[in-house]
Amino acid sequence: MSRSIDLLKHRYLKNIKENPELFVGIELEYPVVNLEGDATDVEVIKYLFRYLVSSFDFTVEKVDDFGNPIQLVDPISQDAILFEVSYTTIEFAFGKAETIQEVENRFNNYMDVIQRKLGESNHAIVGCGIHPNWDKNENCPVTYPRYQMLMDYLNLSRNLIELDLHHFPEYGAFICGSQVQLDVSKSNYLRVINAFTQIEAVKAYLFANSEFSGADWDTKIARDIFWEESMHGIYPENVGVNARLFDDEDDFFDYLDHSAIFTAERDGQTYYFYPIQARDYLATSEIQAYALNGDEILIYPQEKDFETHRSYQYQDLTTRGTVEFRSVCTQPLDRTFASAAFHLGLLVNLNKLVAYLETAPFFKKFDCDYKFLRRQFSKKKLTDEEETTIIEFSKDLLILSEEGLEMRNKQEMIYLEPLKKELGL
């Protein structure tokens, strides 16, 4: 086995348990908008963070280069409220919970205070997958090394004209997603990844919420194009829907070995460089890297650089013994937890889901190119046949999800109601 695969296996398998308890981890990213339609006033939001420290028992976990709080943590629940890449996006990263209701209660408590405070300056959090005033905001990163590095890295696309990448490298400052992490075991994590890869067309149909006004793209999920046609997507294995289902663990890690490394730390400094596939990284003799101030430097690959490896697949095995589902746009506020409930129910009902997918009529009609299917079913207008078939597929999955939630017996079925209503169930 190659050394790179060894390092990836160590990173991603060390915290997976044999029989984990099932917890729910939810992350929600939101644009903060100026209700008068102008650019978001970032001073309003910086002030909000200072206000939250005194309103709740938050600890300031991170500050930016100017001493402004940028990440707050509740010591008891482990909930974090932070800036996500830019000062115009707020993320709620909730500590692990036993039920969705627990997360919803804490979310509502935070939102009551936040929306009231923002309202005093005519600002508000809105449930959109793209900041509605993206074209008016400055779209600068938070002055913190990780975010500055990410934005500088994405900006490298301007030098790669031959690759036909999109012209919005600042997209990290204005796209927002809704992620859920669920515990998996050594024996089921691959089945989970494979099963959820197959249902991306349905997730595209049910949860699309990021149409983009800045380009003529026929999609309701511009987030996909932003990711896949940027520096993150130069190697297709690094981002988005998996190109195939995996036969076994070795097959999965071979795929991960094709994902990218593009950043490293040396002496407390963060550097970035053109992406190198994990499998080629250690054999690269030297790397032309960039510091955050623009200086160029030669660095030499080290095994410890794998400790910050991060790929952006839509079913992402994390270092915490969970699979993170990353393909859902931020949802309208009245269906904030529908996506988490949908994933949770299907995970609990995994055996039935896998059995259903083996004979699902949808694939007989539209085949099994999962990347293509997601792009196809996020189009702004579907044919009658596509619409009918995807609705049937969605209904079947919704029923399986509801069954899974009923098996949990924690009254979480209520979160599926907006989806059921939409599908006429």
Side-chain angles (χ1 to χ4, degrees):
M1 191 196 310
S2 73
R3 185 61 186 146
S4 58
I5 285 182
D6 256 350
L7 292 165
L8 290 170
K9 280 192 171 182
H10 176 70
R11 177 162 167 75
Y12 290 103
L13 295 179
K14 66 176 181 228
N15 290 324
I16 295 193
K17 300 187 175 82
E18 283 299 345
N19 290 302
E21 206 178 327
L22 179 55
F23 288 101
V24 183
I26 294 175
E27 294 172 21
L28 306 168
E29 301 159 4
Y30 289 103
V32 181
V33 303
N34 182 332
L35 295 173
E36 289 162 11
D38 299 326
T40 301
D41 183 346
V42 297
E43 295 308 319
V44 166
I45 314 177
K46 288 177 187 171
Y47 175 72
L48 170 73
F49 270 55
R50 291 193 288 274
Y51 177 76
L52 290 175
V53 175
S54 55
S55 302
F56 296 97
D57 291 326
F58 282 130
T59 305
V60 176
E61 195 170 50
K62 288 179 186 169
V63 295
D64 67 11
D65 291 351
F66 302 102
N68 298 300
I70 58 169
Q71 183 160 321
L72 315 175
V73 175
D74 180 294
I76 296 167
S77 67
Q78 290 300 298
D79 292 346
I81 298 181
L82 59 148
F83 287 112
E84 168 62 18
V85 183
S86 78
Y87 291 105
T88 60
T89 303
I90 291 180
E91 177 180 336
F92 299 86
F94 294 94
K96 66 181 187 182
E98 288 182 16
T99 66
I100 297 174
Q101 286 92 327
E102 278 178 50
V103 178
E104 184 185 35
N105 289 336
R106 303 205 301 260
F107 177 65
N108 288 342
N109 287 342
Y110 303 140
M111 282 291 275
D112 286 347
V113 172
I114 289 170
Q115 294 289 53
R116 191 171 66 244
K117 194 67 193 164
L118 288 174
E120 292 171 8
S121 307
N122 235 349
H123 281 61
I125 278 177
V126 294
C128 302
I130 288 185
H131 197 298
N133 300 327
W134 67 273
D135 51 343
K136 295 178 185 148
N137 293 334
E138 277 190 50
N139 299 319
C140 298
V142 169
T143 53
Y144 186 77
R146 163 104 193 133
Y147 295 138
Q148 290 169 309
M149 177 278 292
L150 263 176
M151 293 289 267
D152 288 349
Y153 170 69
L154 290 170
N155 253 316
L156 289 175
S157 65
R158 297 188 192 279
N159 308 336
L160 298 174
I161 299 156
E162 72 283 1
L163 284 184
D164 198 28
L165 304 175
H166 63 68
H167 304 300
F168 304 95
E170 72 280 16
Y171 74 90
F174 58 74
I175 65 168
C176 295
S178 167
Q179 281 100 248
V180 59
Q181 289 193 37
L182 301 171
D183 290 277
V184 290
S185 67
K186 286 204 165 94
S187 57
N188 82 359
Y189 79 89
L190 264 188
R191 290 175 77 223
V192 170
I193 289 171
N194 280 343
F196 281 85
T197 292
Q198 294 174 72
I199 66 171
E200 280 296 344
V202 164
K203 286 165 60 177
Y205 182 71
L206 290 178
F207 300 117
N209 193 30
S210 60
E211 276 191 42
F212 183 54
S213 58
D216 185 20
W217 295 339
D218 181 15
T219 182
K220 293 180 178 177
I221 309 181
R223 288 178 77 244
D224 287 8
I225 295 177
F226 284 133
W227 280 104
E228 291 168 21
E229 295 176 24
S230 74
M231 292 300 296
H232 283 316
I234 285 176
Y235 298 113
E237 297 91 347
N238 194 55
V239 71
V241 182
N242 295 325
R244 63 173 194 265
L245 305 183
F246 303 113
D247 298 332
D248 52 30
E249 189 162 283
D250 288 340
D251 190 27
F252 172 70
F253 277 94
D254 177 66
Y255 191 81
L256 209 55
D257 207 24
H258 288 68
S259 65
I261 293 176
F262 61 87
T263 180
E265 290 197 3
R266 298 287 183 271
D267 304 321
Q269 295 297 310
T270 301
Y271 297 96
Y272 63 96
F273 39 87
Y274 287 94
I276 301 167
Q277 286 182 306
R279 61 183 181 156
D280 300 324
Y281 187 72
L282 294 172
T284 304
S285 56
E286 57 183 31
I287 299 168
Q288 178 84 54
Y290 303 91
L292 296 181
N293 64 5
D295 289 353
E296 292 188 25
I297 180 176
L298 281 181
I299 66 171
Y300 303 92
Q302 297 180 8
E303 290 193 353
K304 75 175 176 102
D305 299 339
F306 278 75
E307 289 166 21
T308 51
H309 172 270
R310 180 96 203 263
S311 61
Y312 300 91
Q313 284 111 359
Y314 284 166
Q315 339 301 330
D316 208 21
L317 185 62
T318 74
T319 56
R320 292 188 281 273
T322 62
V323 168
E324 181 174 13
F325 303 99
R326 303 175 47 91
S327 65
V328 172
C329 307
T330 290
Q331 295 296 287
L333 291 173
D334 60 357
R335 45 194 283 179
T336 299
F337 296 100
S339 157
F342 180 72
H343 286 85
L344 178 59
L346 288 174
L347 182 80
V348 173
N349 210 2
L350 184 64
N351 289 340
K352 265 199 172 173
L353 173 63
V354 169
Y356 166 79
L357 291 171
E358 279 169 6
T359 60
F362 180 80
F363 299 115
K364 292 190 173 63
K365 196 167 279 189
F366 291 107
D367 216 10
C368 294
D369 181 341
Y370 306 112
K371 270 186 187 285
F372 168 79
L373 289 172
R374 173 157 169 105
R375 194 59 72 88
Q376 188 64 22
F377 284 89
S378 60
K379 286 191 167 174
K380 292 175 182 173
K381 189 96 181 80
L382 300 180
T383 67
D384 290 348
E385 183 189 28
E386 285 171 339
E387 188 90 36
T388 308
T389 317
I390 195 72
I391 286 173
E392 285 313 307
F393 191 14
S394 302
K395 282 180 177 175
D396 290 347
L397 292 182
L398 214 50
I399 289 163
L400 288 172
S401 175
E402 191 165 43
E403 261 180 34
L405 294 175
E406 280 167 356
M407 285 150 66
R408 269 170 66 78
N409 198 23
K410 297 184 190 292
Q411 280 61 60
E412 291 154 319
M413 295 79 74
I414 186 161
Y415 298 107
L416 296 178
E417 285 305 317
L419 302 177
K420 289 171 66 179
K421 206 166 165 186
E422 190 180 311
L423 295 173
L425 269 177

